[in-house]
Amino acid sequence: MMRHGAGSDWSVRKAGAGSTGASEAAGPRRVRRSRDSAHRCPLSEGSEHSSERTHSNSPGRQPAPHPSARTRPRFPGGSIMDATVAEYIRRTVLKMPKDEIKMMLQKWGFLSEAQLQTLNFHQIKDNISHEVVQLCEENSADIKQAAALDIIYNHIYQNKRMWSVYQMKKSGEEDEYFDIADFKKKFKRRIRSALKNVTITFKEYEDNAIWIRVAWGTPYKKPNQYKPSYVVYHSQTPYIFISASMLKSNLPLLCQALIVASNYHDIREMELRSHSLNSLKDIVFKRYSQNFETYTPKPLQGGNVEPENADIRIIHENGREKERIHRLNQEAFGSGPQPQLEFAQYKLETMFKSGPKMDVLDKKEPFRCLVKFSSPHLLESLKSLAPAGMADAPLSPLLTCIPHKARNYFKIREKKKSFVSP
């Protein structure tokens, strides 16, 4: 019916055109062009131009690429760059403090010094990020370069992440020779044997630290670059520091790859976590000032040593007690700065004890409780409690043994077992 209606209308127009003259005969041709364009393929040239006009936001802007080419747009100059890579670089630049963007780009080394000179670092960060992306487009940046920039940022601002310590074990006396190329090869092979969609990036630093960034995908999805895992491994040591991705299911595969690449046979998580990666290294590598057995305190002079301009009318009360507290504090914490930990957590699994007449609990079940101490600098806070008169000296070994035992997660059980879980 529609065809018949269209045909009838067409014949009427043709008849009208014949009676009125040549000037009106152009009418059917205009109708024919509009009908042809209505049925034209959407991938044709006319449709593409109309799409470009629709997506153009400003007069001087380049036309938006065709939808079929959005994943790998071609930019002026003939270079090809993935749009997701461009967006990831832009967001990474936006995370940087404005006065440190130039420094981090220089550490990155992907942009030439001449290109960096063209950047205006005095404008707002959003404009800087767009200019950086344009320069990366000229150099045809890919996800490897974008991941390397992300490692540089996280190496400088490593305290923004939560780090956990893992310890590896060998099966016997094995060769201590470490080959970085062999390590990378084994690590990649082990992960990619189980998962193909993954991005693995390495970067070496001067202190024999190898930073590894792993962005995880799925068998059907590309790697999620915004939720990667970070690994810091010091060669020829059994310790690994991991800032795990929110995708926890990939952690076992990551640990397997690490023990295979480093020629160990087992790995376990130590109960030690913190935002301060350097403090975790100080604890496990014994680089802090705490000395339990070797500390020999110098004898104090009973508080008789006073400043030259001290007022003789001032009387120091409890001098001996202050001397005792200072000595015990030095024995427990040492004289230097403490590693920075933000919390210590104690999980109690002890029996509730009461008098026989109180009869509080008839059932002999453990009393379960969770106690957590939090502070921006927990160990320094604990160290200052006794001198400030807020706690008796010496403090409980449960508080002073944190760096010595290299853990800030404890499980307290009955004394017949152990006050700290092995």
Side-chain angles (χ1 to χ4, degrees):
M1 295 298 292
M2 292 296 294
R3 290 186 178 181
H4 176 72
S8 302
D9 183 44
W10 181 256
S11 61
V12 171
R13 291 191 181 183
K14 285 183 68 176
S19 59
T20 54
S23 61
E24 297 181 2
R29 287 196 295 271
R30 286 195 295 270
V31 173
R32 184 180 297 275
R33 283 197 298 271
S34 64
R35 290 176 65 193
D36 291 343
S37 62
H39 293 283
R40 186 171 294 175
C41 174
L43 297 179
S44 62
E45 182 181 0
S47 174
E48 186 175 8
H49 290 328
S50 63
S51 175
E52 291 174 355
R53 287 194 298 270
T54 304
H55 290 82
S56 179
N57 297 327
S58 59
R61 186 176 175 182
Q62 291 290 334
H66 191 273
S68 63
R70 282 177 185 169
T71 57
R72 290 186 61 82
R74 184 177 294 274
F75 296 94
S79 61
I80 296 179
M81 179 176 172
D82 196 302
T84 58
V85 175
E87 178 62 15
Y88 189 78
I89 293 176
R90 190 184 73 85
R91 292 192 185 189
T92 304
V93 173
L94 287 176
K95 290 191 297 184
M96 303 174 184
K98 185 177 177 181
D99 57 347
E100 297 180 9
I101 294 178
K102 183 176 181 179
M103 176 268 295
M104 292 192 188
L105 293 179
Q106 288 174 336
K107 287 180 176 291
W108 188 26
F110 181 68
L111 301 179
S112 66
E113 194 64 32
Q115 287 177 316
L116 292 177
Q117 294 296 330
T118 63
L119 292 173
N120 179 12
F121 293 101
H122 300 289
Q123 55 186 330
I124 62 175
K125 282 204 297 184
D126 188 61
N127 292 344
I128 298 175
S129 66
H130 283 290
E131 291 186 3
V132 171
V133 168
Q134 290 178 1
L135 294 177
C136 293
E137 291 168 0
E138 296 177 3
N139 294 2
S140 301
D142 58 18
I143 193 58
K144 292 182 180 180
Q145 283 80 32
L149 180 62
D150 181 60
I151 290 180
I152 292 172
Y153 171 80
N154 281 279
H155 179 262
I156 296 175
Y157 287 96
Q158 53 194 239
N159 290 3
K160 291 182 176 291
R161 310 191 65 86
M162 176 63 74
W163 298 91
S164 301
V165 186
Y166 289 75
Q167 185 176 17
M168 300 184 293
K169 293 183 179 180
K170 288 184 179 291
S171 57
E173 294 297 330
E174 299 170 4
D175 187 13
E176 295 293 333
Y177 175 72
F178 179 79
D179 184 2
I180 181 62
D182 185 60
F183 175 87
K184 294 179 180 179
K185 182 179 178 180
K186 290 180 178 179
F187 184 86
K188 290 180 179 179
R189 184 195 307 158
R190 180 63 188 91
I191 288 186
R192 287 177 175 159
S193 64
L195 185 62
K196 299 297 183 183
N197 288 333
V198 64
T199 303
I200 304 174
T201 310
F202 298 89
K203 188 168 180 60
E204 303 169 43
Y205 283 91
E206 296 79 9
D207 56 347
N208 292 328
I210 305 169
W211 278 65
I212 311 171
R213 178 187 182 274
V214 184
W216 305 94
T218 67
Y220 308 103
K221 292 183 179 179
K222 293 183 178 181
N224 187 343
Q225 302 297 335
Y226 296 95
K227 297 179 180 179
S229 299
Y230 298 88
V231 179
V232 179
Y233 174 55
H234 286 258
S235 59
Q236 298 181 334
T237 70
Y239 298 104
I240 291 178
F241 308 89
I242 298 178
S243 179
S245 166
M246 289 184 285
L247 307 173
K248 300 292 185 181
S249 59
N250 297 311
L251 186 57
L253 177 59
L254 179 62
C255 291
Q256 290 175 13
L258 287 169
I259 61 177
V260 169
S262 54
N263 297 322
Y264 283 79
H265 85 284
D266 189 24
I267 186 171
R268 70 174 183 90
E269 181 179 7
M270 300 174 63
E271 300 295 336
L272 181 62
R273 300 170 198 166
S274 174
H275 286 281
S276 177
L277 178 60
N278 289 332
S279 293
L280 295 178
K281 293 180 182 180
D282 292 340
I283 291 175
V284 298
F285 297 146
K286 305 297 182 183
R287 298 190 302 206
Y288 57 95
S289 64
Q290 190 175 22
N291 298 308
F292 288 94
E293 292 81 8
T294 60
Y295 175 74
T296 53
K298 296 180 180 179
L300 300 180
Q301 301 180 11
N304 295 327
V305 178
E306 299 180 354
E308 296 180 359
N309 299 328
D311 192 337
I312 59 175
R313 295 173 297 177
I314 297 178
I315 300 175
H316 295 278
E317 297 181 353
N318 301 324
R320 292 185 178 275
E321 178 63 15
K322 290 181 179 179
E323 176 185 335
R324 184 185 73 89
I325 292 174
H326 177 76
R327 175 175 54 82
L328 293 175
N329 228 32
Q330 291 280 58
E331 291 177 357
F333 294 98
S335 57
Q338 300 297 304
Q340 184 174 357
L341 300 176
E342 297 85 15
F343 61 91
Q345 182 172 299
Y346 300 85
K347 186 176 181 181
L348 280 67
E349 293 183 359
T350 56
M351 302 299 295
F352 186 86
K353 295 178 174 61
S354 63
K357 296 182 178 180
M358 294 180 63
D359 196 20
V360 176
L361 290 177
D362 296 332
K363 299 180 180 179
K364 295 183 178 181
E365 294 183 355
F367 178 75
R368 293 179 173 85
C369 178
L370 184 67
V371 179
K372 186 174 183 179
F373 296 89
S374 300
S375 170
H377 205 319
L378 179 65
L379 295 179
E380 287 290 351
S381 300
L382 294 175
K383 185 178 179 180
S384 65
L385 288 179
M390 301 177 66
D392 294 332
L395 295 180
S396 168
L398 286 172
L399 298 175
T400 58
C401 73
I402 292 175
H404 177 64
K405 291 187 175 293
R407 63 190 304 166
N408 57 350
Y409 281 81
F410 295 88
K411 186 177 291 185
I412 305 174
R413 300 187 178 125
E414 289 294 319
K415 288 185 178 180
K416 60 182 179 181
K417 297 179 181 179
S418 174
F419 79 95
V420 175
S421 62

